[in-house]
Amino acid sequence: FKVNINFENYDALMVYEKNLDKKKIDFLNKLEKIVVLVSEKDSKFLSNRFSIIKLPVKLDDINSVILNLNIKKKFSSNSSIKIKDFILNINERKISQNNQFIEITEKEIELIKILLNSKIPVKKNKILNSVWKYSNDADTHTVETHIYRLRKKMKDKFNEQNFIINKKDGYII
């Protein structure tokens, strides 16, 4: 924790647990890095974000812990998408903001992903085809119904009025 260390240059950090105080733990929690704590005893008081290796330890055990943490980190980062001021957690099927969340369906996730991946408004027919595999000439209110329900959830929980916007040529987030 020397002043001249640039933590951005490292993918993983190993920290001797004995040198930690609350301020350092808070700092480590904010880093988007893999953090492994080295300890002489079993430590349970620290964040569950860290892995703890008890001394003495083999180099293979350290490698194994870091590889497992890296896999978990990649899985977690692939499952979280930032949308405006919200976080979409695909694995948990939730949209959250400030420790509040709503649960959403698989189809709502697919709908959101299609809208996010487009820079221009997405037409109803394209949404029907991509999400529900309906033909282009299907006459249904499925898209409107799902968008209405998702907007209602967002409004009721977060007072969000403009999560999905209806333009004359389609829908956009």
Side-chain angles (χ1 to χ4, degrees):
F1 287 95
K2 296 181 180 174
V3 178
N4 59 351
I5 294 177
N6 183 357
F7 289 100
E8 295 304 313
N9 295 332
Y10 302 96
D11 297 320
L13 303 170
M14 290 186 66
V15 180
Y16 188 51
E17 181 255 346
K18 206 177 221 182
N19 295 334
L20 291 178
D21 56 26
K22 175 148 178 41
K23 185 177 177 183
K24 290 176 183 171
I25 292 169
D26 289 344
F27 173 78
L28 290 171
N29 269 320
K30 291 176 186 167
L31 287 178
E32 296 291 324
K33 305 290 179 187
I34 295 170
V35 179
V36 178
L37 300 178
V38 180
S39 178
E40 294 175 4
K41 58 185 184 327
D42 289 326
S43 266
K44 302 292 182 205
F45 77 94
L46 297 167
S47 165
N48 61 4
R49 191 174 104 51
F50 307 135
S51 268
I52 298 173
I53 297 177
K54 188 176 175 196
L55 295 174
V57 64
K58 295 179 185 171
L59 191 55
D60 286 344
D61 293 340
I62 294 171
N63 277 337
S64 177
V65 166
I66 291 174
L67 285 173
N68 285 336
L69 286 172
N70 193 36
I71 290 167
K72 286 179 185 177
K73 182 180 176 191
K74 284 182 181 175
F75 180 77
S76 178
S77 68
N78 288 338
S79 71
S80 293
I81 301 171
K82 184 154 177 57
I83 308 168
K84 299 182 181 183
D85 294 332
F86 303 95
I87 301 292
L88 167 62
N89 186 316
I90 295 169
N91 296 334
E92 294 181 11
R93 294 194 331 223
K94 293 179 180 177
I95 295 179
S96 62
Q97 180 188 54
N98 300 329
N99 296 322
Q100 292 188 321
F101 67 89
I102 58 169
E103 293 181 356
I104 59 175
T105 66
E106 288 292 328
K107 292 298 183 188
E108 288 170 334
I109 289 172
E110 289 181 46
L111 171 65
I112 290 168
K113 286 167 69 176
I114 284 174
L115 297 177
L116 277 176
N117 290 330
S118 179
K119 302 284 184 217
I120 60 172
V122 182
K123 295 186 181 302
K124 174 184 169 183
N125 288 344
K126 181 171 170 104
I127 296 170
L128 275 172
N129 187 292
S130 299
V131 177
W132 286 276
K133 309 300 183 227
Y134 286 9
S135 68
N136 286 341
D137 57 349
D139 185 26
T140 177
H141 295 286
T142 302
V143 173
E144 293 91 339
T145 302
H146 276 76
I147 289 175
Y148 170 80
R149 288 181 185 154
L150 185 55
R151 283 177 175 159
K152 182 164 177 23
K153 289 180 191 178
M154 295 297 290
K155 183 176 185 273
D156 290 351
K157 187 66 169 193
F158 305 115
N159 199 26
E160 171 62 44
Q161 306 282 345
N162 299 310
F163 187 69
I164 296 175
I165 299 168
N166 187 4
K167 302 261 185 181
K168 65 179 178 180
D169 48 349
Y171 295 95
I172 195 161
I173 287 186

